[in-house]
Amino acid sequence: IFGCFEADTALVFHVLNLRGGEITGSYSQTVIGHHPGMKEAVSSFVLQYYEIQPPPKRIFVPLQAEALDLLNRDLAVLLGRAGMASCPRRGWNRKLMKMAESNARAGFDKWQTTLERTGLAMDRLRDMAGMKDLRRINCFDISSFVSEDAVGSMSVAIDGKLAPREYRVFHPRMSANDDLSMMKEVVMRALKKMPVGDGDTMFLLDGGRGHLDAVGPVLAEAGPGVCLAAIAKARPAEGLLLDRIY
C-alpha cells in the first residue's frame, strides 16, 4: 500500500508491506525539489520500487482513472502481470492507505524540522567561524591501529548533510608515530583532488593547536577564504571534561 504527501519543497512516499492482512514492514523516501506532479511522481516511484523489490500479487496506490490505467500498463510491461494496481474506496485497505498517507505527512514534518535545525546549526557555525557563507565541511581524522600502520580519512558534509560519495581514505607515507606530519600529508593530498570552494569551505581536524599549526600553511597556499578549525575530544581521565574547539 502506497501513501504520498505532496508539498512545495518535497514529496514523501510511505509504503506499507502486508501479508495476510497484517503489516509486516514499511519503507519511506523523501524526494526533494521539483517533481513532475503527483500522478506522475507516484507512478514513477512505484515502478522504480518494484525494479528492486519482489512484487506482491496486488498493490494499492492513490491514483484514479487514466493514471491508474497507465500504471497498470507499465507494470504489465515491467513485471508481466496485468491489473496489479488499484485504489481502495472503502474497508480495511482504505484505512491502511490513509495510514500510509498520514505516515508520509509525518515523515515530511520530521524532514522539515531536521532541515530547519541543520540550517540553524550551520548558521551558528558560520557565524562562530566568521565566514560569509558555509556550505562544505571537510573533516579529517588519523587512526593508528598499531605503531606501524595508520589511516587518514576525510568525511564531508555539504549543507549540513553527510555526503558519503565524498568519503576518502588515505594511507600516510609519514611515520605512524608523527600524528602532525600525517595530518598535514593527508590534507595536502586531499587538496590536490578537490576544490576548496569560494570562501564557503571549512577544514575541520581531529586534533589540537599543533594540528592547526601543521596544516595552516598548507591551506594558506590553497587560496583565501578557507576556514581551518580543530576539535579535541574531552578526556575526563586527564582532567579535560569538555570538548575543545580551536
Side-chain angles (χ1 to χ4, degrees):
I1 294 182
F2 290 80
C4 181
F5 177 76
E6 181 182 23
D8 293 337
T9 53
L11 270 173
V12 182
F13 296 96
H14 191 85
V15 185
L16 296 178
N17 298 316
L18 305 178
R19 179 174 294 177
E22 300 291 332
I23 299 174
T24 60
S26 64
Y27 171 78
S28 293
Q29 181 170 324
T30 302
V31 180
I32 302 171
H34 175 74
H35 54 83
M38 180 71 124
K39 296 178 181 178
E40 293 82 358
V42 170
S43 296
S44 178
F45 178 79
V46 171
L47 292 169
Q48 292 180 39
Y49 185 80
Y50 287 116
E51 284 180 353
I52 58 176
Q53 297 291 336
K57 293 182 179 180
R58 297 183 65 190
I59 63 174
F60 300 100
V61 295
L63 295 176
Q64 301 288 342
E66 183 180 353
L68 187 60
D69 293 339
L70 290 174
L71 176 59
N72 271 315
R73 184 196 64 186
D74 292 337
L75 285 170
V77 174
L78 177 65
L79 304 174
R81 298 182 186 178
M84 288 181 58
S86 62
C87 182
R89 298 180 180 276
R90 61 181 67 87
W92 178 240
N93 290 328
R94 182 65 180 176
K95 291 180 180 180
L96 288 177
M97 177 168 285
K98 289 295 184 181
M99 178 190 297
E101 292 173 350
S102 178
N103 289 346
R105 172 58 190 264
F108 172 78
D109 291 341
K110 182 178 180 181
W111 170 79
Q112 191 172 46
T113 299
T114 300
L115 190 67
E116 291 172 354
R117 289 178 177 175
T118 300
L120 291 173
M122 290 290 287
D123 289 346
R124 184 181 179 189
L125 182 58
R126 177 201 64 206
D127 294 341
M128 290 174 61
M131 303 174 67
K132 293 183 179 180
D133 192 16
L134 175 59
R135 292 203 61 240
R136 179 181 176 115
I137 304 175
N138 303 316
C139 306
F140 294 88
D141 181 35
I142 303 293
S143 300
S144 298
F145 301 103
V146 293
S147 59
E148 292 81 15
D149 188 19
V151 175
S153 62
M154 180 184 74
S155 301
V156 177
I158 299 177
D159 292 330
K161 184 178 181 180
L162 285 176
R165 292 186 178 182
E166 299 288 332
Y167 182 78
R168 298 291 184 272
V169 174
F170 303 87
H171 296 278
R173 304 182 182 93
M174 298 291 183
S175 169
N177 295 318
D178 190 346
D179 196 68
L180 301 183
S181 295
M182 287 191 294
M183 182 68 78
K184 179 180 178 180
E185 177 192 337
V186 167
V187 173
M188 289 178 63
R189 290 167 59 182
L191 279 170
K192 293 179 180 179
K193 299 182 179 181
M194 69 176 185
V196 296
D198 185 18
D200 61 359
T201 302
M202 173 181 287
F203 284 70
L204 182 61
L205 313 179
D206 178 20
R209 295 188 184 280
H211 295 81
L212 289 180
D213 293 339
V215 175
V218 176
L219 288 184
E221 297 177 3
V226 177
C227 179
L228 176 62
I231 182 168
K233 300 174 185 176
R235 297 179 180 176
E238 300 177 16
L240 301 173
L241 304 180
L242 301 174
D243 295 339
R244 288 146 292 145
I245 301 177
Y246 301 98

